[in-house]
Amino acid sequence: MSTVLEITDLRVEYPSRDLRQGPKLAVNGLNLSVSSGEVFGFLGPNGAGKTTTMNVLLGFVNATAGSASIFGVDVRQPIARQRIGYLPELTYYYKFLNTEELLRFYARIFHIPRREREQRIGAVLKLVELEGARKRLIKTYSKGMQQRVGLAQALINNPDLLILDEPTSGLDPLGRMKVREIIQRLKEEGKTVFFASHELGEVETVCDRVAILHEGSLRIEGRVSDLLNQFHCNLEHVFLKVVGYQLKS
Amino acid sequence: MNNISAIAGVVIKEMYRRKDFYVLFVLTALITLLLGSVRFFNDDLIVRYLKDVCLLLIWMSSLVIAITTAARQIPAERESRTIFPLLAKPVGRGELIMGKFLGCWLACGLALLVFYFFFGMITASREHAWPLVSFFQEIWLHWICLGVVVALALLGSIIFAAPSSNATICFVAVAFILFAGGHLSHLANGMRGMAGIIVYVIYYLIPHLEWYYSAQDLVVHDWGRIDWLYWGVATIYGLLYSGFLLSAAWLAFRRRSLTS
């Protein structure tokens, strides 16, 4: 299996607002590699550095040291993002556009030919079950519908790597099930999925491998089945042990 | 170019779906119509004065549209966080700035066409003549000038955090250039030592937008067209200045963290 995503000695520091303090260390010497066709869970408590790492992968933040590449291309190059789809944690889309216009705009950015563009828009809208609302302005959508728009835009270019930042955050059980089904389907199609989530039951169900980050450093990484065997408990307990939380019972 | 035109298309779509643009347009159109319909003693000088006032109004409206639209583009993208899904796609930051510039500039051009068409119709109905070449040169130079203003506001939007402070600074800077830019060299002539040098440096550094503003005299006084050579030089000067300001905006934005 070829390597899709590679992070080497990644270090990210943020300048502190307080001049008396030094820079704040968000990620410290992270090494990670994700292979083609894997569903990779990126876990950690709030403030562990997950979103910062994703921000580096997407070119929103510059690494202080180290490097990251996607499909062998340095993430600082815009072309590295040609074959990826990204779903942010919350929905951030142009409220003055309708879904069809939004998807057409993003499809143009991916250089999808006009004829194929319309087919692709139809296919992703069918997948996320928004065909009936394609002409409605996004600002009139419910939160669940907006999350599905997010998923549709992440899939518009038929990506080989999907980066999902807490894809089921704020969704009702039905919405979560749908997202899980879509991830499962993408896995069957051989796509690589890299996602951050706090829903550990969901991660245990769909992920092949996980990495747990704490205070900016990688604490453990491995196949889900191996970790469960090693710790003799479920993933939630593995997570708690790794981040140093003492269970009472 | 595909990415730039796609981003520009969204900017234009946003503009015509917002209501403030229409309010400004209707206000300008109403005042132009009112002034155009007034006739005082059949005096030519008064007609010229009214044309001058109408054009001043068009200039002010176009500057308001250019500055307010360009100043909020990138801050609004950051505030509403729409910049994240956009830059998670194969879009460079330079393309984002160019797309925003092109969208704002084209939108300003469309607004100018409407304003001048309306103004032209009124003056033609009064004077029974429509000097098309003069009108074309004035609209074109006005549009080139707005290109510099849009580029300046985009650069400001990357330097200053709040769109309102950026818009205010841009208005003050553009007003200063329009009304005082041409007098700086005379001022520097009368000054000695370091102060004179500083004023000279400012004179040569600022984009001389007042040259473009003076082109409205062609229409007001029916002076006929200006030499195409000067027109071409003014066009190249404006484009070079816009390019310089956009390059500065790109340099300031290309490595900036989007999460801070």
Side-chain angles (χ1 to χ4, degrees):
Chain A
M1 281 197 290
S2 59
T3 302
V4 168
L5 191 159
E6 187 136 42
I7 297 171
T8 312
D9 293 329
L10 186 73
R11 184 183 174 87
V12 183
E13 289 174 358
Y14 288 118
S16 174
R17 284 173 199 269
D18 187 348
L19 292 174
R20 287 166 295 182
Q21 290 178 353
K24 185 181 174 291
L25 188 62
V27 179
N28 186 14
L30 179 65
N31 287 288
L32 211 62
S33 145
V34 179
S35 300
S36 168
E38 268 188 329
V39 177
F40 192 93
F42 197 44
L43 314 176
N46 288 334
K50 303 185 299 293
T51 302
T52 301
T53 306
M54 285 191 167
N55 285 341
V56 171
L57 291 174
L58 295 160
F60 303 156
V61 170
N62 294 305
T64 310
S67 64
S69 64
I70 294 175
F71 297 108
V73 182
D74 189 318
V75 292
R76 288 174 297 182
Q77 306 290 326
I79 198 69
R81 302 188 283 277
Q82 180 67 35
R83 289 164 65 192
I84 70 170
Y86 166 61
L87 175 68
E89 183 184 351
L90 297 170
T91 52
Y92 313 124
Y93 307 106
Y94 301 103
K95 307 279 191 229
F96 54 88
L97 296 180
N98 64 39
T99 311
E100 197 178 76
E101 287 170 334
L102 183 84
L103 294 178
R104 201 171 286 138
F105 167 56
Y106 288 144
R108 262 188 84 179
I109 285 187
F110 281 111
H111 301 268
I112 300 171
R114 194 179 290 253
R115 195 178 296 169
E116 198 187 319
R117 207 182 291 168
E118 297 308 315
Q119 286 174 353
R120 193 79 206 127
I121 290 169
V124 291
L125 285 176
K126 190 176 175 191
L127 184 73
V128 300
E129 296 174 4
L130 279 176
E131 285 166 298
R134 62 197 291 164
K135 299 276 185 198
R136 262 173 61 188
L137 290 180
I138 294 170
K139 66 180 173 191
T140 65
Y141 281 10
S142 68
K143 190 177 179 190
M145 287 169 89
Q146 289 195 14
Q147 194 74 353
R148 280 188 274 159
V149 173
L151 209 49
Q153 64 81 30
L155 296 171
I156 192 69
N157 57 328
N158 196 15
D160 293 316
L161 167 65
L162 262 169
I163 297 179
L164 312 174
D165 192 359
E166 300 186 29
T168 55
S169 155
L171 291 183
D172 62 16
L174 201 68
R176 283 183 196 180
M177 180 62 85
K178 279 255 37 115
V179 172
R180 208 177 301 157
E181 276 174 15
I182 290 170
I183 294 173
Q184 204 68 44
R185 191 191 297 190
L186 293 167
K187 183 181 176 182
E188 283 161 18
E189 286 175 16
K191 309 283 188 196
T192 310
V193 182
F194 180 83
F195 81 103
S197 179
H198 291 301
E199 302 289 335
L200 298 180
E202 181 181 271
V203 171
E204 198 174 320
T205 316
V206 297
C207 286
D208 300 312
R209 265 192 329 135
V210 293
I212 300 175
L213 214 63
H214 186 45
E215 293 171 343
S217 303
L218 182 66
R219 292 298 162 95
I220 200 163
E221 184 208 345
R223 298 195 66 79
V224 175
S225 53
D226 293 346
L227 291 176
L228 299 184
N229 286 335
Q230 186 187 333
F231 286 85
H232 303 290
C233 54
N234 64 17
L235 193 61
E236 189 169 316
H237 285 179
V238 173
F239 177 87
L240 293 172
K241 280 179 186 173
V242 167
V243 301
Y245 184 82
Q246 298 295 319
L247 286 170
K248 283 179 184 167
S249 57
Chain B
M1 195 61 204
N2 177 66
N3 290 352
I4 293 170
S5 63
I7 294 167
V10 169
V11 172
I12 293 171
K13 206 163 265 179
E14 184 196 7
M15 201 162 163
Y16 76 68
R17 286 185 182 168
R18 284 174 65 102
K19 292 183 178 66
D20 47 359
F21 168 71
Y22 295 101
V23 172
L24 195 65
F25 173 71
V26 170
L27 265 177
T28 308
L30 269 178
I31 298 171
T32 309
L33 184 68
L34 203 70
L35 287 173
S37 61
V38 176
R39 194 166 196 122
F40 297 101
F41 319 117
N42 282 335
D43 189 336
D44 272 358
L45 286 175
I46 288 176
V47 173
R48 280 178 199 169
Y49 173 72
L50 292 178
K51 278 162 75 176
D52 204 5
V53 172
C54 287
L55 279 175
L56 175 68
L57 200 69
I58 290 174
W59 267 84
M60 280 167 59
S61 298
S62 66
L63 286 173
V64 170
I65 290 173
I67 292 174
T68 53
T69 308
R72 71 160 184 260
Q73 286 302 320
I74 290 173
E77 286 265 7
R78 293 185 71 170
E79 199 182 334
S80 64
R81 303 175 79 85
T82 48
I83 200 163
F84 293 115
L86 177 59
L87 287 183
K89 298 183 170 49
V91 176
R93 295 194 185 187
E95 287 176 315
L96 176 70
I97 289 174
M98 276 307 292
K100 294 291 182 188
F101 169 76
L102 191 66
C104 293
W105 195 34
L106 286 176
C108 287
L110 289 173
L112 275 190
L113 279 180
V114 178
F115 283 147
Y116 274 95
F117 180 75
F118 197 70
F119 173 72
M121 292 288 280
I122 289 168
T123 51
S125 68
R126 292 270 148 223
E127 299 179 332
H128 306 290
W130 195 347
L132 283 174
V133 178
S134 301
F135 261 75
F136 169 73
Q137 287 189 331
E138 157 64 0
I139 295 170
W140 179 268
L141 292 176
H142 190 161
W143 189 48
I144 294 290
C145 174
L146 290 183
V148 180
V149 173
V150 167
L152 182 71
L154 274 174
L155 171 62
S157 74
I158 288 161
I159 296 168
F160 305 108
S164 53
S165 57
N166 175 31
T168 309
I169 291 166
C170 284
F171 274 121
V172 171
V174 170
F176 171 77
I177 293 170
L178 285 175
F179 296 112
H183 304 295
L184 285 178
S185 63
H186 303 300
L187 189 69
N189 277 338
M191 295 169 97
R192 287 186 180 179
M194 205 57 196
I197 294 170
I198 291 170
V199 176
Y200 259 127
V201 169
I202 294 172
Y203 177 76
Y204 285 109
L205 270 182
I206 58 169
H208 285 279
L209 304 178
E210 76 276 6
W211 296 343
Y212 299 91
Y213 184 68
S214 62
Q216 66 160 325
D217 289 342
L218 303 176
V219 173
V220 173
H221 301 289
D222 298 325
W223 282 347
R225 69 174 180 83
I226 51 169
D227 195 299
W228 288 107
L229 178 70
Y230 298 131
W231 177 85
V233 170
T235 300
I236 291 167
Y237 175 84
L239 293 178
L240 283 176
Y241 242 106
S242 302
F244 167 72
L245 292 167
L246 290 172
S247 303
W250 173 71
L251 282 172
F253 189 54
R254 72 187 174 131
R255 305 284 290 159
R256 182 166 290 188
S257 167
L258 295 178
T259 55
S260 57

